[in-house]
Amino acid sequence: MENIIEIYNKFTNLKSKTKVQDKIDTLDEYSVDSDFCYLLEYLLNDNKITGIKKSKLKKDIKKKDKLKKIEYNSIRELIDYLLDHNTGQDQDVYITQLLLNKIDNTEYRQLISDIITKDFKCGVTDLTAYGHIPGLERNWRERKGHSLSDAKTGELKIKKILDKNITVTLKLDGYRYKVIKHNGSINIYTSSGKLDNNLIDIIEEAKLLPDGVYDGEMIASGTFKDSTARFNATTKILGTDGIKKGIDFVCFDYVKNVEAFLNFEEIELQRYKRLNMLETMLKTRNLKHIQLVPVYMNNKKATQETIDEIYSIYESKIGEGEEGLIIDLSDSSYVRAKGTTMFKLKPEVTGDFKVIGLTEGEGKDKGRLGAFIIEYKNNTVNVGSGLTDEIREQVWSNQEFYLNKLIEVTYFGETQDEKTQLYSLRLPRFKRFRHDKNDVSFD
């Protein structure tokens, strides 16, 4: 087995550094250690998944005699095995437990366990470590924004845009993709950076466009009653294997310099100019499947009158079944991160649901509430987001009191399972208890 003491010392030393430059110096010092580099790259790579979680490692497996007793003497070999299998089933948990049980020292065993489950936090991101650790790749990142409404009060944070020049476009409920054309070659990437070159209609039309990064949403072609129905149709198509047809790519941003984009550089060309370039390119070509996002304002000063106009557009689009609007500061750069220059204006659907069950949490929530179980259209839905520590503990210690009570839940429409045809809620989140009423109600 690798030198556990050395691994422990290096990772705890890296974690102890408080300054970025000190962390970088430490990475440079340890970059000759292949075991350290392998484990750090595994920790920082979002695409490396084993299916092994901390809660599973605590499991007391009853029927070990029916499992294969595969004993690894190398942490790297174990992780390679887990990456290949990625099941999280008892067999893999048992094999992992066998290795951990060989480590006598409690602190060493805990650190290795935290590395395997990716729970070890050393204060280093892939962006910081890139270029200092051999073989490390940066995780895919998107340009993202924040909600324009306050999470606690629900009030709109108008001061974020008032008296600034803004660009307003439709917010589509689809799947975020990138179509990248570089030196004549075309590749399509999902929001996690995975290739999906089966969208042949999009690739064919992209051949007619100049090189660059086209940022947008994949949505199902055709007319639907609302954005949720369109999202469900999109999910069905994109979830299939092989050639995918019946999809449109609606673009809302463009980056000309592909190398700069791939290198995570800031693209300083202003938002409104990027949109103008995109509009010119798309409208001067006869394209059916690659379209420009509906634009309502571009580089317009956000006076109170303008904001009233935005409200009017917003209400109109919501009435048509769309998801909402995106408001950008017109002079903003393109940065592959969540920033403060893009804002989402969209509604949250709310409903009052009866609690028909409770589930215990895992990990840090062991011994307290993990989620409420509610009923929705002959299906059960778990609601575990939006719960404070106080609520988790309070409900779990008074379970009988909360059963059959109502809770208000926010969500973003419904989804339908292709196999069972059962409906569920998309991104349900606990909002509050409804002790003031007894009737279930939702749209």
Side-chain angles (χ1 to χ4, degrees):
M1 189 180 293
E2 300 91 337
N3 191 327
I4 300 297
I5 298 176
E6 188 173 346
I7 291 175
Y8 177 85
N9 289 337
K10 286 183 176 179
F11 274 95
T12 53
N13 182 42
L14 177 63
K15 184 176 182 177
S16 71
K17 305 298 181 183
T18 57
K19 296 181 179 179
V20 174
Q21 188 57 53
D22 289 342
K23 287 186 180 292
I24 290 175
D25 292 341
T26 304
L27 293 175
D28 288 335
E29 179 185 348
Y30 296 161
S31 63
V32 295
D33 184 336
S34 62
D35 291 332
F36 172 84
C37 292
Y38 174 91
L39 294 175
L40 184 63
E41 194 274 340
Y42 163 74
L43 275 174
L44 300 181
N45 191 327
D46 290 345
N47 291 322
K48 292 195 171 180
I49 303 171
T50 64
I52 301 295
K53 296 182 179 180
K54 184 180 293 186
S55 58
K56 290 187 176 182
L57 287 182
K58 296 178 181 179
K59 184 177 182 179
D60 181 16
I61 300 173
K62 303 297 183 183
K63 300 179 181 179
K64 295 179 182 178
D65 57 315
K66 295 185 178 181
L67 302 175
K68 296 178 181 179
K69 190 176 182 180
I70 303 174
E71 297 193 52
Y72 285 99
N73 291 314
S74 164
I75 302 166
R76 292 180 63 167
E77 289 179 359
L78 171 66
I79 291 176
D80 281 340
Y81 164 84
L82 295 174
L83 290 171
D84 285 340
H85 290 74
N86 185 22
T87 66
Q89 295 179 357
D90 283 355
Q91 177 64 74
D92 294 348
V93 173
Y94 179 49
I95 293 173
T96 305
Q97 290 175 341
L98 287 173
L99 181 139
L100 291 174
N101 289 338
K102 295 179 181 180
I103 305 173
D104 295 328
N105 185 286
T106 304
E107 291 184 353
Y108 298 166
R109 184 169 61 251
Q110 185 62 57
L111 181 133
I112 298 302
S113 173
D114 287 345
I115 289 177
I116 292 172
T117 59
K118 289 197 170 188
D119 287 307
F120 183 79
K121 308 299 180 186
C122 55
V124 171
T125 66
D126 57 298
L127 292 179
T128 301
Y130 181 77
H132 301 276
I133 297 297
L136 179 73
E137 296 183 2
R138 286 170 288 198
N139 295 314
W140 193 265
R141 282 178 171 80
E142 301 282 4
R143 177 177 184 258
K144 293 183 177 181
H146 294 270
S147 174
L148 195 60
S149 61
D150 187 279
K152 294 182 178 179
T153 66
E155 295 179 359
L156 294 181
K157 297 178 282 190
I158 298 302
K159 290 183 179 179
K160 297 283 186 181
I161 61 172
L162 190 61
D163 295 328
K164 298 176 182 177
N165 281 21
I166 58 172
T167 293
V168 181
T169 56
L170 182 66
K171 186 181 190 313
L172 288 160
D173 192 10
Y175 283 80
R176 184 86 172 265
Y177 271 65
K178 300 284 184 297
V179 175
I180 299 181
K181 185 176 182 182
H182 189 42
N183 296 329
S185 134
I186 299 167
N187 285 302
I188 300 179
Y189 296 88
T190 69
S191 59
S192 61
K194 294 181 180 179
L195 275 174
D196 187 357
N197 285 343
N198 292 316
L199 294 154
I200 56 174
D201 292 334
I202 308 302
I203 289 178
E204 282 303 308
E205 291 194 354
K207 293 176 181 178
L208 304 175
L209 295 170
D211 280 11
V213 179
Y214 296 83
D215 193 353
E217 298 273 342
M218 294 290 178
I219 62 171
S221 306
T223 303
F224 301 88
K225 66 176 183 178
D226 55 30
S227 63
T228 297
R230 186 175 59 211
F231 178 84
N232 290 335
T234 306
T235 301
K236 181 178 179 180
I237 297 172
L238 294 180
T240 59
D241 295 325
I243 301 302
K244 301 169 185 177
K245 298 180 72 68
I247 289 289
D248 294 334
F249 182 52
V250 182
C251 298
F252 49 71
D253 214 334
Y254 170 75
V255 172
K256 183 177 181 180
N257 190 330
V258 176
E259 292 292 343
F261 172 86
L262 295 176
N263 289 328
F264 290 81
E265 297 174 20
E266 178 180 357
I267 312 300
E268 295 184 351
L269 184 67
Q270 297 99 317
R271 164 67 173 137
Y272 78 95
K273 290 183 179 179
R274 300 196 306 270
L275 187 58
N276 285 337
M277 290 176 62
L278 181 62
E279 182 175 12
T280 299
M281 289 186 294
L282 296 182
K283 288 192 173 181
T284 54
R285 291 166 173 83
N286 185 25
L287 304 176
K288 178 182 178 182
H289 295 287
I290 301 180
Q291 308 164 7
L292 179 71
V293 69
V295 179
Y296 306 112
M297 297 179 187
N298 195 14
N299 199 30
K300 184 173 183 179
K301 189 172 182 178
T303 63
Q304 187 57 58
E305 183 179 353
T306 305
I307 291 172
D308 291 340
E309 185 180 349
I310 291 173
Y311 285 149
S312 178
I313 296 170
Y314 171 75
E315 290 175 356
S316 172
K317 294 300 142 186
I318 295 302
E320 294 171 7
E322 294 294 351
E323 192 182 20
L325 301 175
I326 293 290
I327 303 174
D328 283 288
L329 300 186
S330 294
D331 62 353
S332 58
S333 302
Y334 190 105
V335 180
R336 294 180 66 182
K338 191 167 187 175
T340 56
T341 61
M342 175 196 290
F343 302 96
K344 297 175 287 186
L345 183 58
K346 65 178 185 179
E348 288 183 327
V349 183
T350 65
D352 298 317
F353 301 87
K354 182 179 290 186
V355 176
I356 63 171
L358 306 166
T359 65
E360 184 178 3
E362 297 181 348
K364 68 179 181 64
D365 293 323
K366 184 74 174 177
R368 58 183 185 173
L369 179 67
F372 291 107
I373 302 175
I374 61 174
E375 188 174 24
Y376 181 73
K377 295 185 177 180
N378 298 319
N379 193 16
T380 57
V381 178
N382 283 20
V383 181
S385 295
L387 300 173
T388 64
D389 291 343
E390 182 181 2
I391 290 175
R392 292 183 188 277
E393 293 168 2
Q394 174 185 333
V395 172
W396 199 247
S397 60
N398 298 278
Q399 296 182 36
E400 292 298 321
F401 176 81
Y402 289 96
L403 285 172
N404 298 314
K405 295 294 193 301
L406 293 185
I407 59 172
E408 185 175 357
V409 177
T410 63
Y411 53 101
F412 298 102
E414 66 180 13
T415 58
Q416 186 177 23
D417 187 276
E418 187 65 23
K419 293 181 179 179
T420 66
Q421 296 297 303
L422 291 174
Y423 289 93
S424 186
L425 301 180
R426 187 172 175 220
L427 302 178
R429 184 179 182 84
F430 172 81
K431 186 174 183 179
R432 58 174 173 163
F433 295 106
R434 291 305 305 263
H435 298 310
D436 57 323
K437 59 178 296 188
N438 299 311
D439 299 326
V440 172
S441 63
F442 53 86
D443 294 328

